[in-house]
Amino acid sequence: MEARISTDTAQSINLWYKCTGCNEFVFRGELERNLYICSHCGVLFPLLTEKRLEYLLDDPSAAKIRSTNAAGITAEGTISGYPVSLFIADMDVIPNEIDVSLLLAAIENVLQKRMPLITIVACQPEGSEETLTETSYLTMQLERLVDAALPHITVLTETDIYPLATHLPVGELVIAESTAAPQKTAHPNLQPAPHAPEEQLLTQLSTSEPQREPDISIDCYIPREELPDMLGRLLKFFSV
């Protein structure tokens, strides 16, 4: 679940934000220090693209911003010392407003420089009338990464929407940003992720989750504070 920053006029001009998850007020400075995670209930506040670069990259000041606009950003940097190219779509962008040219440019860049690609996109409701017309062509271009044996990792954010879906094609490995690691049941039901190797298993969410079936399109759920470290481990694995 992700909290929303209240749009009350009085609140928007001061240093306090009201968490719509627990209705408590949180100091802006505390949010920034805590990766925009509510200190009262632990749910996530949305992160702007610039903030994501700051908390993911080893040295955001050394990041090479290749292109940016209101719909997203592409950049190069390092995570745990491993070079990577990032495409981050703005959290509020609707499918028709996604600048596919940014992602296509990122694909060409990683093909030339032989580096992994990480795409970070917000979950979007299924069945939206605002569909992405370039999906087929974009999928074809992303398949070039598979042919070149270059890893493509997708991180889904804004995971309060269910099921977790996006109008952009996802990578071979799909991570969902979560508030906390899902609890395992006493007898976990393990399932193979359908687009991952057979030996890669996915654990179902705890049965305490209210009326939700596990989303088997997701390979793993990672708490926001653990995401940089997990991406670093994956990049290390792919570099071997």
Side-chain angles (χ1 to χ4, degrees):
M1 176 181 180
E2 294 209 5
R4 296 292 168 183
I5 296 177
S6 172
T7 56
D8 293 346
T9 303
Q11 180 176 302
S12 63
I13 60 176
N14 61 30
L15 297 178
W16 294 88
Y17 289 113
K18 185 178 181 181
C19 174
T20 54
C22 64
N23 293 322
E24 294 287 346
F25 284 89
V26 187
F27 183 57
R28 177 185 294 175
E30 183 179 357
L31 274 179
E32 292 176 349
R33 291 189 296 271
N34 202 33
L35 297 178
Y36 285 79
I37 302 171
C38 178
S39 56
H40 299 285
C41 65
V43 303
L44 308 178
F45 281 75
L47 271 180
L48 298 176
T49 55
E50 294 81 3
K51 292 295 182 182
R52 290 200 176 275
L53 283 179
E54 289 180 10
Y55 95 94
L56 283 179
L57 296 181
D58 297 333
D59 184 2
S61 62
K64 181 179 180 181
I65 308 299
R66 297 189 58 83
S67 53
T68 182
N69 59 31
I73 188 172
T74 60
E76 289 179 28
T78 61
I79 298 177
S80 297
Y82 296 95
V84 67
S85 179
L86 292 164
F87 167 81
I88 307 176
D90 185 81
M91 59 188 178
D92 293 324
V93 68
I94 62 175
N96 274 0
E97 292 178 348
I98 292 176
D99 191 344
V100 177
S101 65
L102 285 180
L103 182 50
L104 291 174
I107 295 172
E108 290 295 336
N109 182 59
V110 298
L111 285 168
Q112 292 176 10
K113 298 186 177 181
R114 305 289 304 174
M115 65 171 59
L117 173 65
I118 297 178
T119 54
I120 301 176
V121 295
C123 294
Q124 296 155 338
E126 285 189 334
S128 171
E129 295 180 0
E130 303 289 348
T131 57
L132 188 64
T133 58
E134 299 91 345
T135 300
S136 297
Y137 177 70
L138 185 56
T139 300
M140 293 174 56
Q141 295 302 101
L142 285 170
E143 287 176 353
R144 297 172 61 196
L145 300 180
V146 178
D147 295 338
L150 293 173
H152 173 200
I153 303 170
T154 296
V155 178
L156 294 180
T157 66
E158 310 299 300
T159 50
D160 54 326
I161 293 175
Y162 191 84
L164 306 183
T166 175
H167 294 279
L168 280 176
V170 297
E172 295 86 1
L173 182 63
V174 182
I175 297 172
E177 187 178 53
S178 67
T179 56
Q183 298 293 322
K184 294 184 178 180
T185 60
H187 301 284
N189 182 10
L190 299 177
Q191 305 178 37
H195 55 283
E198 291 183 356
E199 66 273 10
Q200 183 173 354
L201 298 177
L202 172 70
T203 304
Q204 285 190 343
L205 293 178
S206 169
T207 53
S208 63
E209 289 288 323
Q211 298 181 350
R212 283 192 177 184
E213 294 296 326
D215 191 334
I216 61 172
S217 65
I218 307 301
D219 293 305
C220 55
Y221 295 79
I222 303 297
R224 176 177 287 175
E225 61 270 26
E226 298 178 15
L227 188 56
D229 179 64
M230 176 57 70
L231 289 175
R233 294 183 184 184
L234 291 171
L235 294 171
K236 179 180 180 180
F237 171 79
F238 287 124
S239 68
V240 176

